[in-house]
Amino acid sequence: MIKKVTLPPRIFFKKFLGVLWVTFNTSRVLKSQIVKGDTNEQALLKGLANNDSKAIETIYKENFNMVQSFILNNNGSYDEARDIFQEAMIALYEKAQTESFVLTCQIKTYIYSICRRLWLKRLQQLGRYTTQVDSMEETVAVAEDMEAHEKRNVEFAIMDRALNSLGEPCKSLLEGYYLKKMDMNALAQEFGYTNADNAKNQKYKCLMRLKKLFFSQYNIGE
Amino acid sequence: MDDILLLDAVERYLNGEMDTEEREYFETLRKNTPEVDQMVVEHNMFLHQMDAYIAHTNIKHTLHNVHTYLLERGDLNEGGEIPTRGKVIQFWNKYKKVTAIAASVGGVIALFISGLAVYFSSTVNDPKLQQLGKDLEEVKESQQYQGSIINEVKSKIPLNARLLSGGSGFLIDTKGYIITNAHVLRGTGAIVINSKGKEFKSSIVHIDEQKDLAILKITDEEYSPVKSIPYSIQKSNADLGEEIFTLGYPRNEIVYGMGYLSAKSGFNGDSLSYQIQISANPGNSGAPVFNQNGDVIGILSTRQAQADGVAFAVKSKSIYTVVNDLKKNDTAFEKLKLPTRSTLKGEGRKAQINKVEDYVYYVKAYGK
């Protein structure tokens, strides 16, 4: 059984326009690739993976305005533009950290694709979804990356909640050890324990409580 | 305490802080005790979570700093003009369909309303309620019509006075007291004409604009007090659906009309009047509304302009109130006595009309 499918004229027209648009865009992208080269982008991503503020600044400067005008033009505010862009940056950061990471497109395209997807989702959640979102750039498939990113976001939220329900001085103690990488003597001094061993004992007690809190949520989440 | 020691060992093991001897010992322990192995796996995973969380917090922090830094340097544009398209254009693009629909709906409604206005203003200029007193023009017409009669019999209307309005009224006391609507008496005086066409001079005794009731007294020498009035004036409220009839003067001749009581309150819920279904015309104002037994239950006063056959009658209870007010104000009227006994009960309609028509008067108000 072969079904003959004919496109309604309107959709056909849209597709036709779309093809035109993509050809136009790819030629533009190719041009910019020749100018910048790939090595520059790889270096930037490496910098991003290492939380290097110079690299982040560069990426930020080159891409933020594009995302901002996209969001503003599609029913968003300045604050929302900033949130969405930063979340896209984090997604890119996560991707850059994986060992098997290869970016198959330009950073710009990737960030735009993520932002577009994030924004569509946000609009849908807010019920502000208008008929169509203006598309100015080509996009790449980011569904898998987005899923991984969302899963990680859930985990971070659990950790965040666990840490916040821990209470003081446990929270600060653990943050001092794991986040600020302070050594036991310094921690003992700061929190007023008589010696490093006592501080260490306290740290482990806190850690055990944190683990308990985290896993109780985490297992439910699974 | 043991737990803490164990945790310490696990962490040192994972961080590679153990020396070879200790490491070997721990690895054998791990192999032999599944609990310890489980703990190592769990803690490893937890530490990874912690690391990821910390990295996440750090990158967020960096991003925030970079954003503020770039904003300060002026590389980012926040809160200013949107570079590509203005807000107004955005709004326009977003809502142009809605605007178009709204505008066309508005246009259609405007056309419709102005059409309605034109249609109604030409035909109905009146308020919703139409008082049933006769207008000057109508009276004029009737004056011309009966010009001969007026010429033949000398009218009781003063020579230099003009007729202003007309309506109906009926006797409420044998001595010649007539009740009618206040709006019937537009002028300074009135004459009353009985069903046989005989005119009597009368004076306005009392007007209650609020209840729309007025009392006239026949002052003519030719008038001889009647023995008794055949109908009574009902004190209580009438019942819904009660059959009613009326006698009045929409023309120069007495006219009978019949209908039923359709609501216990009047226009817009006015509790002092009834709504009745009857064909009423200008001139019917002040006419008595009888029930089947010949009791007066109301005084026909207004009709609804847009609705056919919907009229309103002031409740007969108000007659008592008005008469009592009058008695209180002026001792001269102490002897005024309203009829309380009906002799019409059980009679046929023709007989009832026959007995009643002599007591219903045509009221003509005049002024200068």
Side-chain angles (χ1 to χ4, degrees):
Chain A
M1 280 273 285
I2 297 166
K3 259 193 186 169
K4 203 179 165 191
V5 181
T6 44
L7 285 172
R10 223 180 112 182
I11 293 175
F12 177 76
F13 183 63
K14 270 196 176 172
K15 283 214 156 183
F16 177 68
L17 274 185
V19 170
L20 273 185
W21 187 239
V22 167
T23 20
F24 170 63
N25 251 322
T26 35
S27 63
R28 216 168 52 166
V29 168
L30 278 175
K31 210 171 149 193
S32 61
Q33 267 176 344
I34 292 163
V35 176
K36 277 185 202 159
D38 263 344
T39 40
N40 193 11
E41 296 240 307
Q42 281 301 333
L44 280 177
L45 286 172
K46 207 172 244 175
L48 174 67
N50 292 326
N51 196 357
D52 171 46
S53 60
K54 274 278 164 263
I56 292 173
E57 252 177 62
T58 315
I59 301 175
Y60 216 105
K61 224 166 31 185
E62 278 173 9
N63 297 290
F64 181 74
N65 285 333
M66 165 195 72
V67 171
Q68 194 181 48
S69 44
F70 162 72
I71 298 221
L72 291 178
N73 280 329
N74 287 291
N75 228 351
S77 69
Y78 284 103
D79 281 347
E80 281 164 333
R82 178 187 171 151
D83 282 355
I84 295 286
F85 180 74
Q86 292 195 353
E87 197 165 346
M89 285 292 279
I90 290 170
L92 185 64
Y93 164 81
E94 280 163 1
K95 201 174 158 70
Q97 276 192 322
T98 50
E99 280 157 20
S100 59
F101 166 64
V102 191
L103 192 61
T104 48
C105 61
Q106 272 204 303
I107 292 179
K108 205 181 188 80
T109 314
Y110 187 80
I111 288 181
Y112 177 76
S113 306
I114 296 258
C115 285
R116 187 183 148 82
R117 215 185 153 81
L118 282 172
W119 185 237
L120 279 173
K121 205 173 169 188
R122 181 81 68 92
L123 283 178
Q124 264 164 346
Q125 279 165 353
L126 294 173
R128 263 200 269 161
Y129 188 67
T130 45
T131 46
Q132 65 181 76
V133 164
D134 287 359
S135 177
M136 297 299 289
E137 306 282 330
E138 67 169 337
T139 57
V140 289
V142 285
E144 275 177 39
D145 292 350
M146 288 302 301
E147 256 172 49
H149 173 70
E150 270 162 27
K151 191 171 167 267
R152 250 175 242 128
N153 268 354
V154 170
E155 287 168 3
F156 293 147
I158 293 170
M159 184 62 88
D160 210 44
R161 243 176 314 179
L163 257 177
N164 280 323
S165 52
L166 200 58
E168 296 294 349
C170 268
K171 194 184 167 211
S172 304
L173 192 63
L174 289 180
E175 272 177 1
Y177 185 77
Y178 289 100
L179 197 82
K180 295 176 192 156
K181 312 277 180 208
M182 291 159 85
D183 75 343
M184 271 306 150
N185 284 322
L187 279 172
Q189 226 168 31
E190 182 161 335
F191 288 91
Y193 295 107
T194 44
N195 56 45
D197 275 346
N198 276 348
K200 204 171 178 177
N201 269 339
Q202 193 56 41
K203 189 210 87 178
Y204 279 124
K205 276 183 191 165
C206 291
L207 190 64
M208 268 150 74
R209 270 182 58 208
L210 181 65
K211 273 174 81 172
K212 217 171 165 186
L213 282 167
F214 176 80
F215 280 111
S216 70
Q217 287 290 315
Y218 188 79
N219 291 336
I220 292 167
E222 293 282 286
Chain B
M1 202 59 196
D2 283 352
D3 282 346
I4 289 173
L5 279 178
L6 192 60
L7 194 62
D8 180 44
V10 170
E11 203 165 302
R12 279 193 296 125
Y13 171 71
L14 286 172
N15 288 344
E17 284 166 12
M18 285 178 168
D19 55 31
T20 357
E21 203 181 320
E22 198 181 4
R23 192 180 180 81
E24 268 167 21
Y25 172 74
F26 189 78
E27 269 167 2
T28 10
L29 182 71
R30 197 183 154 187
K31 226 175 265 171
N32 295 334
T33 353
E35 287 87 1
V36 175
D37 188 45
Q38 159 77 19
M39 195 165 171
V40 172
V41 172
E42 191 193 82
H43 198 69
N44 189 26
M45 182 254 181
F46 183 74
L47 284 181
H48 269 125
Q49 282 288 345
M50 283 279 279
D51 280 345
Y53 175 76
I54 287 156
H56 186 254
T57 320
N58 285 336
I59 187 88
K60 255 186 170 169
H61 195 66
T62 319
L63 282 170
H64 180 74
N65 286 342
V66 166
H67 187 93
T68 337
Y69 172 69
L70 289 177
L71 207 61
E72 271 170 16
R73 266 200 10 198
D75 285 335
L76 304 182
N77 175 23
E78 207 171 74
E81 286 284 306
I82 296 158
T84 48
R85 279 185 287 166
K87 269 265 180 215
V88 178
I89 297 169
Q90 267 184 50
F91 262 84
W92 170 243
N93 283 336
K94 207 178 298 164
Y95 294 116
K96 59 185 166 194
K97 266 188 203 162
V98 181
T99 316
I101 292 166
S104 42
V105 167
V108 168
I109 289 174
L111 280 177
F112 180 68
I113 287 175
S114 53
L116 272 185
V118 168
Y119 176 71
F120 279 112
S121 60
S122 58
T123 51
V124 184
N125 249 336
D126 317 0
K128 274 191 185 160
L129 273 180
Q130 206 176 355
Q131 294 183 321
L132 298 176
K134 270 195 192 174
D135 278 341
L136 172 65
E137 283 93 294
E138 280 168 88
V139 179
K140 249 188 203 161
E141 265 171 45
S142 64
Q143 257 181 320
Q144 282 164 358
Y145 168 77
Q146 56 168 179
S148 52
I149 307 167
I150 291 172
N151 286 341
E152 269 171 36
V153 184
K154 204 184 151 206
S155 176
K156 303 270 167 106
I157 301 173
L159 279 178
N160 52 354
R162 291 185 307 130
L163 269 181
L164 286 177
S165 59
S168 314
F170 57 98
L171 278 182
I172 51 166
D173 184 278
T174 51
K175 292 179 283 297
Y177 289 96
I178 288 173
I179 193 145
T180 183
N181 278 133
H183 70 256
V184 169
L185 301 175
R186 263 187 232 160
T188 50
I191 56 163
V192 293
I193 306 161
N194 69 11
S195 58
K196 294 182 181 71
K198 185 144 181 58
E199 288 186 0
F200 301 99
K201 279 189 261 178
S202 68
S203 62
I204 300 169
V205 169
H206 182 72
I207 290 186
D208 188 330
E209 293 282 357
Q210 218 163 7
K211 293 197 179 63
D212 195 17
L213 289 178
I215 296 171
L216 295 170
K217 167 110 172 55
I218 300 174
T219 50
D220 206 297
E221 292 147 9
E222 286 173 44
Y223 176 78
S224 51
V226 292
K227 273 186 206 151
S228 67
I229 292 173
Y231 46 81
S232 70
I233 291 166
Q234 192 168 300
K235 263 184 188 163
S236 54
N237 277 345
D239 291 320
L240 214 58
E242 218 172 304
E243 198 182 287
I244 53 160
F245 69 94
T246 183
L247 285 166
Y249 292 87
R251 310 163 41 189
N252 288 318
E253 203 181 319
I254 195 160
V255 173
Y256 165 78
M258 178 188 138
Y260 54 87
L261 192 105
S262 46
K264 283 185 175 178
S265 67
F267 189 66
N268 281 345
D270 173 19
S271 60
L272 288 176
S273 55
Y274 299 116
Q275 183 186 323
I276 53 178
Q277 194 72 22
I278 205 160
S279 86
N281 290 302
N284 267 121
S285 255
V289 178
F290 298 101
N291 65 10
Q292 269 178 306
N293 297 333
D295 303 312
V296 174
I297 62 152
I299 299 138
L300 194 54
S301 60
T302 49
R303 74 171 176 190
Q304 201 163 335
Q306 284 100 333
D308 200 29
V310 175
F312 302 99
V314 177
K315 291 182 180 175
S316 54
K317 248 194 320 196
S318 297
I319 302 177
Y320 285 92
T321 338
V322 171
V323 168
N324 286 339
D325 283 350
L326 180 63
K327 283 180 179 171
K328 234 180 265 170
N329 290 339
D330 199 334
T331 46
F333 303 106
E334 260 178 353
K335 282 182 182 164
L336 205 160
K337 198 169 159 284
L338 294 174
T340 47
R341 256 189 53 234
S342 168
T343 55
L344 300 168
K345 201 171 177 179
E347 304 237 16
R349 185 57 46 88
K350 275 192 257 176
Q352 285 179 332
I353 293 167
N354 221 344
K355 283 184 178 174
V356 163
E357 64 177 354
D358 285 344
Y359 302 88
V360 180
Y361 285 78
Y362 186 4
V363 180
K364 283 183 176 179
Y366 58 81
K368 275 167 189 164

